[in-house]
Amino acid sequence: MKKNRIAAIVAAAGIAITLGGVAAPAALADGPDTPPQVTAAIEAQPWVQLQEGDQDYRVLAVGAILNVREYLDKEPTDTFDADLTAAVEEYQSDSELSVDGVVGDATWEALSDDVGTVDGDDPRNAYTDLLEQSLTHLGYDVDGEYDGDLAAAVRAFQEDQGIGVDGIIGPITFRAMYAEGAEDAS
């Protein structure tokens, strides 16, 4: 949630001050060389609202995230079904969000915060599998491991989006992958 992101930024700033002004680690930066206008444009892209009956790669992504977080106890698919609705409602309740079973702005933001950053050292294979599937849908070739082709696909996606290329999926890259217009921008 936003509190977690703010706490991480404050903690990083405190560490930087303590270390004599050393910058925050790149993993917190998500494309540290991203021009401000690109960040603003990506953040202005509305989240795609998802609800029961929808079929989309984003539905698969939401299901995979909720599966990792143990809200969905079955293999996620690209179809938003009653089980996913129940998982979204439970997640929304636990996250102190409005409970409606619809993946809207607040739910997307909470999911992005919960995923955090994903890089080559991430032990959460389900997240790297999710990224592979999403990038494949968006037209990038990957091999299923977060090295080699997948890392290259992340960097290529970031370059195509104008995001500072660091190979890390953070909040900017996550939003670029799942917000409205992601397919068009690829």
Side-chain angles (χ1 to χ4, degrees):
M1 290 178 47
K2 289 185 181 185
K3 290 179 186 177
N4 293 343
R5 188 177 296 162
I6 291 169
I9 291 168
V10 169
I15 291 169
I17 291 168
T18 302
L19 296 175
V22 175
L28 295 176
D30 188 28
D33 297 326
T34 305
Q37 65 272 21
V38 171
T39 299
I42 291 170
E43 290 175 344
Q45 286 296 105
W47 289 108
V48 174
Q49 182 172 301
L50 301 172
Q51 59 191 357
E52 196 166 323
D54 287 343
Q55 192 169 18
D56 189 271
Y57 79 101
R58 294 172 182 93
V59 172
L60 178 62
V62 169
I65 294 166
L66 293 179
N67 181 273
V68 168
R69 307 222 14 107
E70 299 182 355
Y71 287 95
L72 185 66
D73 61 358
K74 68 175 193 175
E75 190 69 27
T77 68
D78 66 352
T79 302
F80 203 127
D81 61 11
D83 291 334
L84 186 54
T85 298
V88 168
E89 288 173 345
E90 184 180 357
Y91 175 79
Q92 289 171 329
S93 177
D94 287 353
S95 299
E96 299 179 1
L97 301 171
S98 177
V99 178
D100 59 8
V102 174
V103 180
D105 294 352
T107 304
W108 273 116
E109 291 294 336
L111 290 168
S112 177
D113 288 347
D114 285 344
V115 169
T117 58
V118 181
D119 65 17
D121 296 325
D122 200 301
R124 302 171 298 173
N125 291 338
Y127 285 154
T128 56
D129 292 346
L130 156 68
L131 296 173
E132 173 193 346
Q133 292 168 348
S134 296
L135 287 165
T136 298
H137 176 83
L138 293 170
Y140 296 87
D141 291 326
V142 295
D143 70 357
E145 310 223 354
Y146 202 92
D147 56 19
D149 291 342
L150 184 53
V154 171
R155 288 190 296 274
F157 177 79
Q158 289 174 322
E159 185 173 335
D160 289 348
Q161 301 300 312
I163 298 169
V165 177
D166 64 1
I168 297 170
I169 302 290
I172 296 168
T173 305
F174 184 91
R175 188 172 190 125
M177 288 177 69
Y178 298 111
E180 199 170 289
E183 300 96 321
D184 301 334
S186 298

